[in-house]
Amino acid sequence: MSTTQTNKIEIIKAATSKINEVDFENLSFGSIFTDHLFECDFKNGEWQKPVIKPYAPFLLDPSSRVFHYGQAIFEGMKAYKDEDDAIWLFRPDENYKRFNKSAVRMAMQEVPEDIFMNGLKELLKLDEAWIKRGKGNSMYIRPFMIATGTGVIANPSDNYKFMIILSPVSAYYAGEVKVLIAEHYSRAANGGIGAAKAAGNYAAQFYPTSLANKQGFQQVIWTDDATHTKLEEAGTMNVFFRINDTLFTAPVSERILDGVTRKTLIDLAKSEGINVDVRPVLVSELVEASKNGTLKEIFGAGTAAVVSPISGFSYQDVYHELPNNEDSMALKLKDKLTNIQNKIAEDTFGWTVKV
Amino acid sequence: MSTTQTNKIEIIKAATSKINEVDFENLSFGSIFTDHLFECDFKNGEWQKPVIKPYAPFLLDPSSRVFHYGQAIFEGMKAYKDEDDAIWLFRPDENYKRFNKSAVRMAMQEVPEDIFMNGLKELLKLDEAWIKRGKGNSMYIRPFMIATGTGVIANPSDNYKFMIILSPVSAYYAGEVKVLIAEHYSRAANGGIGAAKAAGNYAAQFYPTSLANKQGFQQVIWTDDATHTKLEEAGTMNVFFRINDTLFTAPVSERILDGVTRKTLIDLAKSEGINVDVRPVLVSELVEASKNGTLKEIFGAGTAAVVSPISGFSYQDVYHELPNNEDSMALKLKDKLTNIQNKIAEDTFGWTVKV
């Protein structure tokens, strides 16, 4: 291992690279990590010297607050390589802002912008060989922060660890996605943490999702917990509904994550002349539109799958199959977006940022 | 370190004890741990050989699911030493059952009873010198389980780590406790994880609690998230309200933890001839009872503080001071309960279990 200094980040390089062990043609999402990670600890009331070092397990005390009280947040981002091998990020400022919004809601320390952004960029540069060119290929970036303070008392931690890890991914195909509309279980409370990208929001969905899986549905579309009449989000994706030629999606709220792909698709659809209506969408409207044939599409929007077409939904034990559309808005918007992200089409929105 | 075998548990003893470094007269709750911990891993589809070993930090992969998706649950229990130095647990079967109920809700592996109970008992025996006699003294026991499977994909983990750590504690005095009744923020959703002892439930409360702290309140009493009209629990305690000579407490639900101290106090109060009414209690009832002088007491009930009298509450910016009661039910019940727990009074309920 060699140690150098860049932008105040200490860099400890791995002695050897694992890259030749990786089959880039058969990547399983989020399971392979690059040679290095970025780490910065908050302790004694301040952020310590950041370091990039070989990806490896690290030590935690058994009483670390993350284990007992769940102070843990993350972001999901992607980096892309263009035909000239330049590395590009997509709207990283949105992820950075949301990360600190999550930090505030979970009573955690906010991460300074230079630590977040420089750490991210230096790590991507060091492991740039892991980023592959070509549409659908990208580097999935996982910034996350955990409470490392010790003691089993239910108070916010004094110490935190901020890390960034990188996982190369290829075009994501989830297979056919049938969804179940939630009638009993819920993802988020009014006045709760649904808008934060908090670790606990995800574990909460696993059990009800496993029940849906057993019934043959891949995902759950969550509804408001008080009445189960309003369509909210799918847990790892925001959701769009196309009725006739209008796209509907729920407004973000303290129960719904302010998705970067969601807001990007809204802008992209508008620029394509598509009518977008951001307002609460009722389950009853969806059922009615399905019955009268005006419901054309449902799709999810998120960093991992980008755009994920849904083939049908179940509500009150009735399965509603969606039609096959030759003019799928989901596929059109996905194509537009991935062309911008992979620098195949011009980015007239100023969303892409060179590393 | 020496290695021996007891009840199929591998025991690796610490070379030296830290016990002489501990000031047992000035214990800060949950911050000092004994010499050993119990650990059992679930991997390759089965529980591995359990081990008791020196308390120490352990290694985790940066992509461990507990960091990213919050699969983490725990229990809080106590052990006591009687005048003959025998060790007693208090209703451990209740904690064991609730632990696995939490595990199911968080899509985690259930822990077999022999691993949980034998691990607990052997660990207590090994570190028995850390358990002090005398009323108020006890060993706080923290069984917990975290997802150790790797990969940043939002699915339940395949691997888990179950651990038990021990922290000696003395009589808990929280100081004066003024509470704020929640009008915007919430602890749990209908159809959510409020009834599970999930790590994420606690971090979710830290920020709204910190806002209450700034206004001079030590705790928040949560209300139902849909209407904020029903009194629920205090996050680390269930809550009792005494109006005239009747004790009221909310029924447990999927939003409210089924507290062991709560159910114990209900039985204890009934055996003392106190009228206990378990039903939803409205904020408006509490305000009305405060105004007309029939509200005599509010107190919290939980393993850590046992019974925690509350001196007043604020709702809609009006502070309601509670009267000083010479015949405090809170203090009477606390005394009865701790006498049973510390084996000073006879346990006619069969709650105490000898280790």
Side-chain angles (χ1 to χ4, degrees), chain A residues 179-182 221-224 227-234 239 241 243 248-251 255-256 279-287 295 298 313 315:
Chain A
V179 297
L180 184 68
I181 294 182
I221 294 185
W222 302 103
T223 50
D224 68 295
T227 67
H228 295 294
T229 58
K230 283 175 236 153
L231 295 156
E232 307 225 301
E233 60 150 289
V239 188
F241 309 94
I243 297 175
F248 295 87
T249 193
R255 292 194 309 264
I256 300 178
R279 66 158 171 82
V281 185
L282 301 176
V283 181
S284 59
E285 289 181 90
L286 195 70
V287 170
L295 181 65
I298 306 177
F313 71 92
Y315 179 67

Side-chain angles (χ1 to χ4, degrees), chain A residues 136-156:
Chain A
N137 290 330
S138 62
M139 179 62 78
Y140 183 78
I141 302 163
R142 173 57 61 96
F144 67 103
M145 180 163 52
I146 56 172
T148 51
T150 58
V152 292
I153 184 152
N155 285 332

Side-chain angles (χ1 to χ4, degrees), chain A residues 29-31 33 37 55-74 104-107 140 142-146 150-157 163 165 167 172 184-193 198-208 210 222 225-226 228 236 254-255, chain B residues 29-31 33 37 55-74 104-107 140 142-146 150-157 163 165 167 172 184-193 198-208 210 222 225-226 228 236 254-255:
Chain A
F29 190 93
S31 61
F33 297 92
L37 58 75
Y55 184 99
F58 60 97
L59 286 167
L60 278 179
D61 189 273
S63 76
S64 296
R65 303 271 166 121
V66 61
F67 300 144
H68 301 272
Y69 305 116
Q71 278 184 297
I73 60 171
F74 70 92
V104 169
R105 182 60 184 85
M106 303 312 285
Y140 183 78
R142 173 57 61 96
F144 67 103
M145 180 163 52
I146 56 172
T150 58
V152 292
I153 184 152
N155 285 332
S157 177
M163 272 190 171
I165 55 178
S167 178
Y172 187 102
H184 172 76
Y185 290 104
S186 305
R187 179 184 169 275
N190 296 297
I193 60 167
N201 282 335
Y202 295 81
Q205 301 174 64
F206 289 167
Y207 175 69
S210 75
W222 302 103
D225 80 304
H228 295 294
T236 60
E254 60 182 1
R255 292 194 309 264
Chain B
F29 191 92
S31 61
F33 297 93
L37 58 74
Y55 184 99
F58 61 97
L59 286 167
L60 278 178
D61 190 272
S63 75
S64 296
R65 303 272 166 121
V66 61
F67 301 144
H68 301 272
Y69 306 116
Q71 277 184 298
I73 59 171
F74 70 92
V104 169
R105 182 61 184 87
M106 305 311 286
Y140 183 79
R142 173 57 61 96
F144 68 103
M145 180 162 53
I146 57 172
T150 58
V152 292
I153 184 152
N155 284 334
S157 177
M163 271 190 171
I165 55 177
S167 179
Y172 188 100
H184 173 75
Y185 290 104
S186 305
R187 179 184 170 275
N190 296 298
I193 59 167
N201 281 334
Y202 295 81
Q205 302 175 63
F206 289 167
Y207 175 68
S210 74
W222 302 104
D225 80 304
H228 295 294
T236 59
E254 60 183 0
R255 293 194 308 264

Side-chain angles (χ1 to χ4, degrees), chain B residues 24 43 160 163 293:
Chain B
F24 282 87
K43 59 184 177 186
Y160 296 94
M163 271 190 171

Side-chain angles (χ1 to χ4, degrees), chain B residues 240-350:
Chain B
F240 287 81
F241 309 93
R242 175 184 168 192
I243 297 176
N244 287 320
D245 286 328
T246 298
L247 278 183
F248 294 87
T249 192
V252 294
S253 72
E254 60 183 0
R255 293 194 308 264
I256 300 179
L257 193 80
D258 185 7
V260 179
T261 308
R262 173 189 173 278
K263 71 175 75 176
T264 300
L265 289 186
I266 291 172
D267 289 347
L268 212 46
K270 285 178 178 169
S271 78
E272 293 293 314
I274 296 168
N275 191 27
V276 183
D277 198 351
V278 178
R279 65 158 173 83
V281 185
L282 301 176
V283 182
S284 57
E285 288 181 273
L286 195 70
V287 170
E288 181 58 30
S290 171
K291 283 182 182 166
N292 67 26
T294 55
L295 180 66
K296 304 295 184 191
E297 292 178 71
I298 305 177
F299 55 91
T303 296
V306 190
V307 175
S308 183
I310 287 163
S311 57
F313 71 92
S314 180
Y315 178 66
Q316 291 182 342
D317 296 325
V318 179
Y319 183 68
H320 300 256
E321 180 90 24
L322 287 166
N324 272 315
N325 295 286
E326 297 213 341
D327 66 333
S328 161
M329 282 186 187
L331 297 182
K332 181 179 180 179
L333 291 171
K334 180 173 187 170
D335 194 52
K336 291 270 172 199
L337 178 52
T338 51
N339 280 346
I340 293 172
Q341 290 173 328
N342 286 96
K343 302 301 285 183
I344 294 165
E346 195 192 349
D347 170 19
T348 56
F349 300 89

